[in-house]
Amino acid sequence: MASEVETTQATSYEEAAKYWSTVPPTINGMLGGFACISTTDIRGSKVLLKQLFKSQNPPNKYYALDCGAGIGRITKYLLSDLFEKVDMVEQNSVFLEAAKNYLGPTLIEKKIGTMFPVGLQDFKPEIGKYDVIWVQWVLGHLTNDDLVDFLLNCQKGLTNNGLIVVKENITSSVEVEVDEKDSSVTRPMGLLKELFVKANLDCYRVTKQLNFPKGLYTVYMFVLKPKIQKSD
Ligand SMILES: C[S@@+](CC[C@H](N)C(=O)[O-])C[C@H]1O[C@@H](n2cnc3c(N)ncnc32)[C@H](O)[C@@H]1O
């Protein structure tokens, strides 16, 4: 029997890009009409990152990468607050253009490095550049194979002690759930963890996001480290 990892998916990059081109470059647009959860979301992420900074062998606080960054909601309220520099990667260049206004001239000048207008399936980070790679609410747009390749590439982009944080919706069943509207999937926990293993990542911490409204998917944060830590 085929494992869950091998099952085919409905993900289409073209259809997804078409969908996102109809979405306004606003917080509400980024969050599917749930702008109200942004503050709680950022608060939960900040608690996690601050705990990670206090852990053994913490990541440095110099350079972060925001993946599937949209207009820069996470860059603005989370990453630019905790890191010296932030790069963004996002398939929709209209969102990145809007991010310049949304982030404002001070952040753009002082904190933002490069904005990469490219899909994660085609993105290869510079080797050894990032202390934290933040990937939120975007992996449902990647096929299983591309997700694994993307995470393998991300590992190469990490500094020593660098880590990847994935924050994603998770199904309550063991099935992959397809969203025809934006051509994405929501994966069950087991499948996502299987893909992390395939990408040679150690999932050393899983934290549930608290205080989201009822009726939404459960959201988890996965802290991922390369199985073989780099040495100097
Ligand atoms: C639900 S929004 C989340 C935006 C941001 N991560 C946040 O939490 O505010 C999903 C974002 O992923 C982007 N996206 C969709 N498919 C992508 C892909 N293949 N590569 C990179 N970004 C993608 C969309 O354009 C959109 O900006």
Side-chain angles (χ1 to χ4, degrees), residues 13 16 20 30-31 66-70 73-74 90-92 95 118-121 136-138 141-142:
Y13 297 121
W20 284 106
M30 296 301 103
L31 299 181
D66 185 355
C67 297
R73 182 184 69 89
I74 297 165
E90 162 60 49
Q91 59 91 34
N92 183 318
F95 291 164
V118 63
L120 300 185
Q121 65 279 9
Q136 181 164 351
W137 283 326
V138 65
H141 282 294
L142 298 195

Side-chain angles (χ1 to χ4, degrees), residues 145-164:
D145 286 349
D146 284 348
L147 190 159
V148 170
D149 285 347
F150 166 69
L151 289 176
L152 285 166
N153 287 328
C154 281
Q155 282 180 62
K156 296 183 191 147
L158 291 175
T159 55
N160 289 336
N161 293 335
L163 45 86
I164 301 166

Side-chain angles (χ1 to χ4, degrees), residues 60-113:
N60 290 324
K61 298 179 186 173
Y62 183 60
Y63 223 128
L65 174 67
D66 185 355
C67 297
I71 59 168
R73 182 184 69 89
I74 297 165
T75 291
K76 180 168 181 168
Y77 293 111
L78 179 70
L79 301 176
S80 66
D81 196 31
L82 298 178
F83 294 86
E84 291 301 313
K85 299 283 287 182
V86 186
D87 286 350
M88 298 161 70
V89 51
E90 162 60 49
Q91 59 91 34
N92 183 318
S93 51
V94 173
F95 291 164
L96 288 180
E97 205 44 49
K100 292 179 186 160
N101 254 331
Y102 176 68
L103 295 168
T106 309
L107 276 189
I108 290 289
E109 191 194 323
K110 295 207 155 76
K111 294 268 181 161
I112 308 304

